[in-house]
């Protein structure tokens, strides 16, 4: 039976995925590197350095220049999350978190982002979860299972009893590698994003209940 829920942050609990995209786009434009919204799909949920490497491709930059680019992108991103408020929690999230807690389910947030804690604080949801794993928690980023396994340890629940909610292929891959159940969130036009790897694909968490998840997973 399901005893733990692990939520990704960007693109699941709030829409900062759009801010990450705009910050990378600005950097790419400044560096005259071709990049667009479609290319950004490959960066979804991917950690900062790995994202930059996907953008620069085989262009040869020194470590110092790469570092400066990551800092610049992060500066743009941090600026854009300044104005984040509890209003930015996505629809259905507060209801689901409340229902999970009432049912005695342990809850963690597991984000690849080094900015996860300030975002969670601004959203005002820190008290609704039992543990937070972020971009500082483990060394190997998603699609490695490490971050989710770390989160499961933090809430004291075996991986096989955890459900992960993700918007990124790299995140769903990480959840499967961790031996967990995976719910993938994607708009209808991108519902094939997870290549059939997610156990459940939903457009968003609006109106979704623990009982629906248990029924769909046969748990
Ligand atoms: P930072 P998630 C991920 O967060 C984002 O989806 C991804 O776009 C970002 O590059 C990554 O965090 C690292 O973020 O640069 O703030 O450390 O989806 O795992 O919550
Ligand atoms: Mg995400």
């Amino acid at each position: 039976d399901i005893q733990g829920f692990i939520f990704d942050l960007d693109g699941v609990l709030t829409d900062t995925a759009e801010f990450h995209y705009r910050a990378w786009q600005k950097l790419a434009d400044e560096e005259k590197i071709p990049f667009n919204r479609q290319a950004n799909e490959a960066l979804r949920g991917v950690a900062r350095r790995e994202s930059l490497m996907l953008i620069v491709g085989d262009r040869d930059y020194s470590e110092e220049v790469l570092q400066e680019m990551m800092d610049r992108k992060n500066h743009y991103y941090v600026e854009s999350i300044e104005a984040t408020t509890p209003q930015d929690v996505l629809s259905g999230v507060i209801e689901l978190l409340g229902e999970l807690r009432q049912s005695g389910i342990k809850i963690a947030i597991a984000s690849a982002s080094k900015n996860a804690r300030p975002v969670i604080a601004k959203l005002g949801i820190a008290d609704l979860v039992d543990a937070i794993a972020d971009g500082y928690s483990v060394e190997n980023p998603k699609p490695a299972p490490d971050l989710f396994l770390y989160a499961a340890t933090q809430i004291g629940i075996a991986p096989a009893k955890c459900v992960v909610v993700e918007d990124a292929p790299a995140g769903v891959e990480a959840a499967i590698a961790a031996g967990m159940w995976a719910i993938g969130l994607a708009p209808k036009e991108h519902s094939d994003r997870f290549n059939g790897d997610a156990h459940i694909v939903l457009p968003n968490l609006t109106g979704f209940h623990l009982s629906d998840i248990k029924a769909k997973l046969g748990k």
Side-chain angles (χ1 to χ4, degrees):
D1 61 331
I2 301 301
Q3 294 180 8
F5 256 72
I6 303 175
F7 291 89
D8 175 50
L9 177 64
D10 295 318
V12 169
L13 302 180
T14 187
D15 214 2
T16 38
E18 176 65 18
F19 294 140
H20 279 293
Y21 161 64
R22 288 186 203 166
W24 285 126
Q25 184 69 63
K26 190 166 157 118
L27 174 79
D29 289 348
E30 286 167 355
E31 295 300 321
K32 305 207 168 23
I33 301 173
F35 186 66
N36 57 31
R37 199 173 272 281
Q38 201 200 323
N40 181 66
E41 281 300 307
L43 272 56
R44 199 170 273 281
V46 173
R48 196 180 304 173
R49 175 176 293 270
E50 287 69 17
S51 295
L52 179 62
M53 297 323 281
L54 287 174
I55 293 173
V56 302
D58 52 16
R59 289 171 190 79
D60 201 16
Y61 296 108
S62 69
E63 174 56 28
E64 203 186 343
V65 170
L66 293 172
Q67 194 59 54
E68 185 281 323
M69 288 188 201
M70 285 189 278
D71 291 348
R72 198 174 349 142
K73 180 270 175 177
N74 191 54
H75 176 78
Y76 297 146
Y77 178 69
V78 168
E79 237 172 25
S80 63
I81 57 172
E82 252 332 282
T84 299
T85 73
Q87 303 257 32
D88 296 306
V89 178
L90 288 174
S91 158
V93 166
I94 299 293
E95 294 79 356
L96 182 57
L97 291 178
E99 189 187 340
L100 293 175
R101 174 153 285 182
Q102 267 200 332
S103 311
I105 300 233
K106 293 285 179 198
I107 308 169
I109 297 175
S111 168
S113 177
K114 292 185 164 151
N115 295 294
R117 282 173 191 273
V119 170
I120 291 164
K122 284 177 200 289
L123 293 172
I125 55 174
D127 292 346
L128 305 182
V129 304
D130 301 298
I132 296 171
D134 66 11
Y136 296 104
S137 301
V138 298
E139 217 162 284
N140 295 336
K142 306 169 188 179
D146 304 33
L147 188 69
F148 291 137
L149 291 173
Y150 175 88
T153 306
Q154 293 293 306
I155 54 176
I157 306 293
K161 295 181 174 172
C162 289
V163 173
V164 169
V165 187
E166 261 288 350
D167 69 314
V172 165
E173 230 185 281
I176 303 294
M180 300 177 179
W181 299 95
I183 299 180
L185 301 187
K188 278 219 173 67
E189 63 273 23
H190 288 294
S191 60
D192 58 350
R193 181 187 283 167
F194 308 108
N195 303 313
D197 285 345
H199 295 98
I200 300 175
V201 179
L202 301 171
N204 54 57
L205 291 173
T206 310
F208 206 72
H209 297 283
L210 180 59
S211 53
D212 300 327
I213 295 164
K214 286 191 165 179
K216 286 216 185 188
L217 296 179
K219 292 271 139 189

